[in-house]
Amino acid sequence: MTTTYPLAFTSTPSTTARDEAEREAILSDPGFGKHFTDHMVQVTWTIQDGWHDAEVVPYGPISLDPAASVLHYGQEIFEGLKAYRHADGSIWAFRPEANALRLQRSAERLALPQLSVEDFLESLRQLIKVDGGWVPSAPETCLYIRPFMIASESFLGVRAAQKVDYRVIASPAGAYFSGGVAPVSIWLSTEYTRAGRGGTGAAKCGGNYAASLLPQEEAYRNGCSQVLFLDSQEGKYLEELGGMNVFLVKRDGTLVTPEINGTILEGITRQSIIQLAKDRGHAVEERPVTLDEWREGVASGDITEVFACGTAAVITPIGALKSKDFEIGDSSAPAGELTMALREELTDIQYGRRPDRHGWLTRLDA
Ligand SMILES: *Cc1c(COP(=O)(O)O)cnc(C)c1O
């Protein structure tokens, strides 16, 4: 192995980079996931040479052999995190080393090579060095960063690829809730599950998302924005949404959330909320949570708030859970008080409006 550690990046500037006026026009209304910055990071891994050829290159299509194993067997993982612009213009990431460690765990499960935490962080800094101007500054906007890894070896045999590409792209994002944070209705999938014991539920891999798209369509048809999945063995325990973790809040202020059990994705937002709630003196229970507990708790008034959380939306209040046979909650009820207070506290830390007392922020532009 000739892997150098840490990786040394070369940089090739784009000759078609947007000028400032074009960039500002996009940043004034970026939406989500539809515009991309002028550059991307790419690093190659081979079984002979380890990680090498670390580069920042112009953003553009990837040339892949049609036999590349990712196209056939889905050997792919990704991460999602945001770069925030603070009032003084500086650019920060929230707990990016946790994303690096999770990418390593996902890599292990998908038989992909691991990238060091240092190289992961450096890949973010390298992209920000050339594309920092793409981090918007309007309230609640950010640059969404998407690191990912694909099996790029041309080989149709079924085994772990011996050539892999790591890439980082970035996309400016507007405020997730442009009209103010409003509770959503979510759909209970009774026919499909997200992950089984020993499967890939704990890994952030594209395949999990592919499997969630059909139930997601069912949710849309029923006027819901997201799907809630139950455990695959008994169909009675809450797992998570297609891309967010879930919390119940009890009348006495206790937060309850499904424990990390191998089938749930360990969200960094989830972990941060647990910490912030404990800091406020709330009890937090990570344990199996049944659908009945939710239904009965809402009926008795013992459960007062429900929310989902993840990097993209931070915290989304859940008004109602709908299924073929029943509905729990009230989609027109206002967002819960603790839900909104935690959301505000977390976003305040991310945007540098409150002290970062846990040392969660890492500067990317210095
Ligand atoms: C990414 C993801 C989450 C949320 O994780 P964060 O680190 O909080 O963004 C939750 N569930 C699934 C399935 C995910 O892929």
Side-chain angles (χ1 to χ4, degrees), residues 12-18 38-39 57-59:
T12 309
S14 171
T15 54
T16 56
R18 269 69 50 94
D38 295 312
H39 299 85
V57 296
Y59 184 91

Side-chain angles (χ1 to χ4, degrees), residues 35-333:
H35 298 285
F36 296 90
T37 65
D38 295 312
H39 299 85
M40 61 182 177
V41 164
Q42 61 182 40
V43 189
T44 303
W45 178 92
T46 57
I47 198 162
Q48 297 82 18
D49 296 328
W51 290 109
H52 61 278
D53 285 351
E55 299 176 274
V56 179
V57 296
Y59 184 91
I62 298 177
S63 173
L64 274 183
D65 191 285
S69 37
V70 64
L71 300 175
H72 304 273
Y73 309 127
Q75 197 187 1
E76 185 267 359
I77 56 174
F78 65 95
E79 271 303 322
L81 71 165
K82 291 172 168 178
Y84 308 88
R85 192 179 293 283
H86 287 189
D88 65 359
S90 58
I91 300 170
W92 300 77
F94 181 74
R95 307 185 76 177
E97 53 303 309
N99 295 94
L101 292 170
R102 189 169 64 189
L103 188 70
Q104 290 185 343
R105 295 197 297 275
S106 299
E108 182 178 23
R109 182 63 186 85
L110 274 285
L112 285 161
Q114 295 194 342
L115 188 69
S116 75
V117 172
E118 256 322 302
D119 288 335
F120 178 90
L121 297 178
E122 184 60 16
S123 72
L124 308 182
R125 287 195 201 98
Q126 289 286 332
L127 191 60
I128 292 299
K129 198 192 245 179
V130 289
D131 282 343
W134 285 94
V135 183
S137 51
E140 312 303 308
T141 63
C142 66
L143 182 67
Y144 183 80
I145 305 178
R146 168 56 57 86
F148 62 104
M149 212 183 271
I150 57 174
S152 53
E153 185 188 3
S154 319
F155 179 59
L156 288 185
V158 181
R159 60 146 168 76
Q162 300 184 349
K163 179 170 183 291
V164 169
D165 287 4
Y166 167 75
R167 305 223 172 205
V168 187
I169 58 174
S171 172
Y176 193 90
F177 293 97
S178 42
V181 181
V184 298
S185 296
I186 61 172
W187 179 253
L188 179 68
S189 180
T190 47
E191 197 174 340
Y192 305 102
T193 60
R194 206 192 139 258
R197 188 164 62 85
T200 57
K204 209 166 176 74
C205 62
N208 291 342
Y209 279 73
S212 76
L213 299 178
L214 179 63
Q216 179 71 48
E217 296 274 295
E218 189 178 275
Y220 290 146
R221 276 200 306 279
N222 288 281
C224 295
S225 57
Q226 299 261 345
V227 189
L228 175 75
F229 292 101
L230 299 175
D231 76 283
S232 64
Q233 282 184 297
E234 296 182 65
K236 74 181 208 199
Y237 296 99
L238 309 186
E239 293 244 298
E240 61 173 318
L241 277 53
M244 297 177 106
N245 298 114
V246 66
F247 281 82
L248 310 180
V249 182
K250 299 177 102 170
R251 188 171 36 198
D252 69 2
T254 302
L255 276 80
V256 183
T257 191
E259 67 188 336
I260 298 302
N261 60 358
T263 58
I264 292 173
L265 199 287
E266 187 168 2
I268 297 160
T269 317
R270 173 188 180 280
Q271 208 55 52
S272 307
I273 286 166
I274 290 172
Q275 183 65 54
L276 294 180
K278 286 181 177 169
D279 293 349
R280 286 167 175 254
H282 291 266
V284 181
E285 298 174 3
E286 297 178 68
R287 58 167 170 80
V289 188
T290 64
L291 180 63
D292 285 342
E293 178 174 354
W294 184 348
R295 183 189 302 138
E296 287 157 17
V298 168
S300 70
D302 196 36
I303 288 171
T304 50
E305 305 180 26
V306 184
F307 65 83
C309 66
T311 295
V314 193
I315 290 182
T316 304
I318 295 173
L321 175 67
K322 298 182 181 180
S323 80
K324 284 196 195 79
D325 315 312
F326 60 85
E327 182 167 337
I328 304 175
D330 172 4
S331 55
S332 63

